[in-house]
Amino acid sequence: MNDLNMPVLSEVNDGIATVTLNRPRSMNALSEEVLEALQQTWDDIADNRAVKAVILRGAGDHFCAGHNLKEMTLRREDADGGHGYFNDLFAQCSRMMMSIVNLPQPVIAEVQGIATAAGCQLVATCDLAIAAEDARFATSGVNIGLFCSTPMVALSRNVTRKQAMEMLLLGDFVPASHAAETGLVNRVVPRGQLPEATRIMAAQIVGKSPVAIKTGKRAFYQQADMPLAEAYAFAGATMAENMMARDTEAGISAFIAKEPMPDWTGE
């Protein structure tokens, strides 16, 4: 299969993996083949020490339109009306989303056009997000009788409860400016500047110690739902362990000596 026909493309340059959803004719919907390809991509990146940061983008004019409803509807003909298939599909999608959270490398969503339903979930799941000024976001399943329950999980961990409920209950598109105000995305830039802005952010991450980034990302998600005292105890133990890394010792020594930061070894 020609690379251009692959459901997901991935390339690594200067420590940055650029992952592209490559089904523009379907607005990069999360079909079975796209979900499988994304899962394999995350599994490969997790073990690739050459990758320090990841950019997730969509080919064509849009980021991602969510699940492929045409593909799903075909399974209504199954003996159980598709119930078993739907359970497996949503579990597969949830595993893929969790793989982004569990990656040692930060993932930045580069969002243009629309990000709807599971596409909006994908943005919310990424560690960071930069959107073009014309990007729009929605959890619009409620408009067709399907509440966006799995997108709700990631969305409600990014924005306030009332903001999340408004998106989930009304199903309306919200502009990029509103997504930035509510915390769904970090920054909004003109569309022509989107790739450059995302790459600059990724390059900043590449310049940091991989040990610090990996430790920090893992600790961020682990402490988020802990009670306050438990979170502080966990974070303190994490920092103590981080202090034992060679990168940390070298970085602190350089800072004290007012010398340039060392070449990070990842150890």
Side-chain angles (χ1 to χ4, degrees):
M1 182 183 291
N2 187 292
D3 282 351
L4 294 178
N5 292 324
M6 297 291 287
V8 174
L9 305 177
S10 180
E11 61 177 352
V12 180
N13 291 294
D14 301 324
I16 303 169
T18 301
V19 177
T20 304
L21 305 175
N22 194 37
R23 286 294 179 262
R25 291 185 179 179
S26 65
M27 297 185 182
N28 300 310
L30 298 178
S31 63
E32 292 176 56
E33 66 166 0
V34 170
L35 285 173
E36 290 171 4
L38 267 179
Q39 184 63 61
Q40 186 60 57
T41 299
W42 303 140
D43 292 345
D44 292 343
I45 287 175
D47 295 328
N48 189 344
R49 294 191 62 182
V51 176
K52 306 296 192 302
V54 183
I55 295 171
L56 176 62
R57 59 184 298 276
D61 294 328
H62 299 286
F63 181 72
C64 177
H67 285 287
N68 189 314
L69 296 176
K70 291 182 180 179
E71 183 178 77
M72 293 168 65
T73 297
L74 293 175
R75 300 303 293 263
R76 295 283 188 190
E77 301 301 319
D78 291 0
D80 64 351
H83 186 260
Y85 168 79
F86 300 143
N87 263 325
D88 290 344
L89 179 69
F90 293 129
Q92 178 187 20
C93 185
S94 295
R95 175 174 177 255
M96 185 277 293
M97 298 286 179
M98 283 300 301
S99 293
I100 296 175
V101 176
N102 291 329
L103 273 185
Q105 306 93 336
V107 182
I108 307 169
E110 179 184 298
V111 189
Q112 79 286 357
I114 66 168
T116 59
C120 186
Q121 177 186 4
L122 201 52
V123 175
T125 300
C126 288
D127 305 296
L128 300 164
I130 300 180
E133 289 176 336
D134 63 348
R136 297 186 298 156
F137 303 81
T139 46
S140 48
V142 69
N143 295 331
I144 57 172
L146 178 66
F147 197 83
C148 282
S149 297
T150 46
M152 170 184 68
V153 175
L155 181 66
S156 64
R157 283 161 170 75
N158 278 244
V159 305
T160 66
R161 289 189 176 188
K162 283 186 170 56
Q163 293 287 351
M165 286 298 282
E166 180 175 341
M167 290 184 67
L168 291 160
L169 292 172
L170 302 186
D172 292 340
F173 277 103
V174 299
S177 57
H178 183 73
E181 290 171 359
T182 59
L184 181 56
V185 303
N186 297 88
R187 303 176 188 175
V188 178
V189 299
R191 184 157 187 163
Q193 298 176 18
L194 180 61
E196 180 184 8
T198 312
R199 191 148 193 96
I200 288 173
M201 179 180 279
Q204 285 186 264
I205 294 170
V206 170
K208 315 297 182 185
S209 163
V211 171
I213 295 295
K214 177 181 178 179
T215 300
K217 175 175 173 175
R218 182 177 62 240
F220 177 85
Y221 291 110
Q222 287 182 306
Q223 65 81 35
D225 294 321
M226 292 180 183
L228 186 62
E230 183 180 342
Y232 269 118
F234 168 76
T238 299
M239 287 197 75
E241 186 66 27
N242 195 168
M243 282 291 293
M244 305 308 295
R246 292 179 182 178
D247 269 0
T248 309
E249 182 181 3
I252 291 175
S253 296
F255 178 79
I256 291 172
K258 295 182 171 57
E259 296 175 349
M261 285 296 106
D263 293 329
W264 306 115
T265 65
E267 298 177 351

